[in-house]
Every structure is written in structure tokens, then in C-alpha cells.
Amino acid sequence: MTAPSPRRVAIVTGTRAEYGLLRSTLAAVAAHPRLELQLVVTGMHLVRTCGYTVRTIARDPWPIAARVPMQRGNDRPLDQAEGLARGIAGIARALVRLRSDIVVVLGDRIEALAGGLAGLTTGCVVAHVHGGDVAPGDFDDSVRHALTKLAHLHLVATQDAARRVERLGEEPRRIHVVGAPALDELRLLRGAARSSRAPRDLALVVYHAHGRSAAREYTVTRNVLQAVTTAGLRCLVIHPNTDRGHAGVVRAIEEHAAARPQWVKVVRSLPRSEYLRHLQAAAVLVGNSSSGIIEAPLLGTPAVDVGVRQAGRLAAGPLVVRAGESPRAIRTALRHALQLHRVPARKTPYGDGCTGVRIATLLARVSLGPRVTRKVITY
């Protein structure tokens, strides 16, 4: 009897952060005997002003099946809309050429939306990771919940997210609590002692624009950087994503670094493993990255979460300090965070660090027929 052909699984990545989250799933799919990995690279990975991180991906052990340009990397209002249109068309062409069976997308960005729409309209099973979360960025929640209605499989991080997806009218049989993929690589770091030589005066700063004017994002970024400097901390600053307003974030970073070169180091991007090492060693993470909510508490690193970008997202532990955007609010929160006892969280709502393997196992056994592709809305 002839063994069935492996299922062709296209995994779409558009940003450095989301690629880092997907690496364990990529590895698990590539290793599974019933699955064939097809990596589709798009979005910020192909923008030179954002670090051209496709070069980092190319060093990993799995081949890139398709490269689909989307954004130009500027801060024009049309860049996101035109990029989305290019992404849908380009990813759809890639899926047809590759004869993909399943498309996997993660999160709430337009690269994921482009992959979901391309998969749906070309007849693929669409699997969405991290649906049901709440994180009111630019139009992030709208994109995330739109993907919930497009997707055939919901690979959610928490029980809370599963309940929210079900309330959106999705059939319970389609919803699988797999945990947060961010925890998979943390298994190698959790419980490890911090190096005695690790700097205690270094703040890791990751602040992203989320749809407001460049002027507003400039002001908030400047407030963040000045608060860190006032606290007597050196800064390792990572460039923002390409959401609207990012030009203001970049301008504030460049001005601050130019005025204090001995205190500030700026990088466009970091590989996931290197980022996690810096996160574990830092005295504090300051900004509005989801890594402050999910990963930092599990590494015993305090995090100051600035503004509302992550509002509503469950914190993985007690080391997260929420802050407003004013200079005083950030300074107060930073002082509080630096006084916290750095004990890694033992329990988390985000799972056990085996998400990638769990996703691959589900994709290998799920039906690809009409029972999955024909959706029934339950509300």
C-alpha cells in the first residue's frame, strides 16, 4: 500500500518578531514525516531599511519557498494598504505554484491577513495562531478577529482566547489551545542562572508605533528613552516595526543615540535567540512589545509596558508594570520595576513550551475535506 503524500504546509512570515515565534513550528513541521514545509517570506523581512532580515532566515536549515514583497518601508498612509494588496496577490500566486494544502499565519498584522485571504481564496485550509487575544494596536484587533472569521483552524494560546474565539461564533471543534509559541525557546533559558557578569544597568528598549501620527510616536518614544537615561541605565534599543507612525519612533531613537552615544546602542533587528539572551540579562525591558507581557516574566526580567498597545493581554507573571505615556508615569513605573524581586514566573496561562510540536501534530491529522473548509457560524 502506497503511503499518502506529505501535506504541503505553507507558513507565512512577515516580521522578525513573528518569525522568532514561528521557529519552533517551522522545525516541528519540517521534522514531521507527514508534512512538507513551505516557508513564505514577506513584509518587513524584504525591506532593507528594516534590516532585510530575510538574510537571517536564509541561514536557518529550511529553504525559502517564496519571497513576496509587500511594504516599501516608508510612513505613507498608503503603504499598508498597497502592501496588503501586493501581499494577497503574491502569496496567492505562490500557494498555487507550490500546490499548498494548509496555510499557517500568526497574529494580527497585515502580512498574516494577506496570507489568510490568499489561502482562503485558493482553496487551502487556513490555520491561525494566536487568535482570540486582545491587543488594541493600530487596527490589530480588527485584523486578528477578521482572521478568526477567515480561518478554518484556531490554534490559540490560552483558555481565555479560546472562549473569546467561541463567542465570535466559531465551532468549538475548530478551536485548539496549543499555548504560546514564544515559550518554546524559553525552555532552554528558564531556570538558568543569570551570568554574574550580566550587566545590571542595561535596559532593553522595544517601542513600536501603533497607528498614530509620527509626531505623537516621537514624543512617547522620547519620553521612554529619557526615563531610562534618568534612571541611570544604558540602553539597547531595537528599531520598531513598520506600522503607521514608525518614522517618529526612529527619529526619536536616532536623536537620543546621537546625543548620548556612550549610553545608547541601537540595532535594527536581533535574531530570536540573541534577543532572548539580552532579555534575560537586562535589568528591565521598557516599551510596548508583547515580549514584555509573555516572555519577560518567565525569564525573571521586570517589564514596563508603556501605553495601550498591549492593554487587555494577559501578563505571564507579576513582573509586568503598566505605565501611561507621560514622562512622570514612565519614570514612576520604571522605579517600581527596578525594585521588584526577579523571580521567574512558575505558572503561566500561555502553556508549557511545546507549542510547535503540538501544532505540527494537529496539522498532520486534521481533515482537509469539506468538514473543515465549510464553516458554520454558531451565533
Side-chain angles (χ1 to χ4, degrees):
M1 186 174 179
T2 304
S5 299
R7 295 175 170 191
R8 294 175 286 271
V9 180
I11 299 182
V12 178
T13 176
T15 74
R16 68 195 181 208
E18 152 249 74
Y19 178 73
L21 301 182
L22 285 169
R23 287 185 81 250
S24 64
T25 301
L26 289 163
V29 169
H32 201 289
R34 292 194 58 196
L35 301 175
E36 176 187 326
L37 174 64
Q38 301 171 330
L39 179 57
V40 178
V41 177
T42 185
M44 287 176 60
H45 293 305
L46 303 176
V47 179
R48 293 192 179 275
T49 56
C50 296
Y52 201 59
T53 48
V54 66
R55 291 178 296 195
T56 301
I57 296 174
R59 293 196 289 267
D60 276 341
W62 33 78
I64 297 173
R67 304 185 186 205
V68 180
M70 285 183 60
Q71 302 96 322
R72 305 300 193 205
N74 58 56
D75 213 2
R76 295 185 308 115
L78 278 176
D79 193 40
Q80 296 291 318
E82 291 175 345
L84 177 60
R86 284 188 288 267
I88 296 169
I91 295 172
R93 285 193 292 267
L95 298 178
V96 171
R97 173 176 60 83
L98 296 168
R99 297 170 55 230
S100 305
D101 299 306
I102 302 171
V103 177
V104 178
V105 296
L106 182 149
D108 56 9
R109 292 183 55 82
I110 65 167
E111 298 89 355
L113 182 58
L117 284 165
L120 182 73
T121 52
T122 56
C124 298
V125 170
V126 178
H128 180 213
V129 183
H130 261 300
D133 288 359
V134 176
D138 183 354
F139 36 66
D140 297 16
D141 273 354
S142 296
V143 170
R144 189 190 307 271
H145 298 328
L147 276 165
T148 292
K149 305 314 296 180
L150 294 174
H152 305 105
L153 298 174
H154 309 290
L155 309 176
V156 303
T158 66
Q159 292 290 346
D160 185 64
R163 287 189 289 269
R164 192 172 289 112
V165 169
E166 187 172 354
R167 290 199 297 271
L168 286 168
E170 295 299 295
E171 297 171 280
R173 66 182 178 87
R174 299 179 181 274
I175 305 169
H176 304 273
V177 180
V178 298
L183 271 59
D184 288 16
E185 289 190 60
L186 291 190
R187 286 185 301 163
L188 302 177
L189 292 174
R190 284 192 68 188
R194 289 171 181 250
S195 168
S196 60
R197 294 177 295 175
R200 291 293 186 264
D201 64 341
L202 178 69
L204 182 59
V205 178
V206 189
Y207 181 83
H208 296 293
H210 50 99
R212 303 179 298 185
S213 70
R216 178 59 187 164
E217 299 295 6
Y218 168 83
T219 298
V220 178
T221 307
R222 186 178 60 180
N223 292 346
V224 168
L225 294 169
Q226 287 179 344
V228 171
T229 299
T230 300
L233 300 172
R234 295 179 298 114
C235 294
L236 173 60
V237 189
I238 302 178
H239 265 226
N241 58 30
T242 57
D243 286 350
R244 289 178 296 181
H246 73 272
V249 179
V250 172
R251 181 163 68 94
I253 291 171
E254 291 176 346
E255 289 179 2
H256 195 77
R260 301 166 181 82
Q262 72 277 20
W263 286 86
V264 182
K265 179 180 179 181
V266 180
V267 296
R268 292 189 182 276
S269 181
L270 286 175
R272 171 75 173 169
S273 58
E274 187 175 347
Y275 175 78
L276 291 178
R277 286 195 297 271
H278 281 292
L279 178 58
Q280 185 182 37
V284 64
L285 171 66
V286 187
N288 60 5
S289 167
S290 63
S291 62
I293 305 297
I294 298 176
E295 291 104 304
L298 295 172
L299 292 174
T301 302
V304 176
D305 179 50
V306 178
V308 299
R309 185 171 182 259
Q310 301 298 336
R313 194 187 288 270
L314 292 171
L319 293 179
V320 179
V321 181
R322 309 278 185 171
E325 296 180 336
S326 70
R328 181 178 179 180
I330 299 170
R331 289 196 303 268
T332 300
L334 184 54
R335 282 197 299 270
H336 177 49
L338 291 171
Q339 293 170 356
L340 293 173
H341 187 45
R342 300 177 191 175
V343 177
R346 296 196 175 200
K347 292 184 179 179
T348 170
Y350 291 101
D352 57 4
C354 298
T355 297
V357 171
R358 197 169 285 121
I359 289 174
T361 301
L362 282 167
L363 298 181
R365 72 185 186 204
V366 71
S367 169
L368 300 182
R371 187 170 185 269
V372 169
T373 57
R374 292 178 186 171
K375 291 185 65 173
V376 175
I377 306 303
T378 60
Y379 54 71

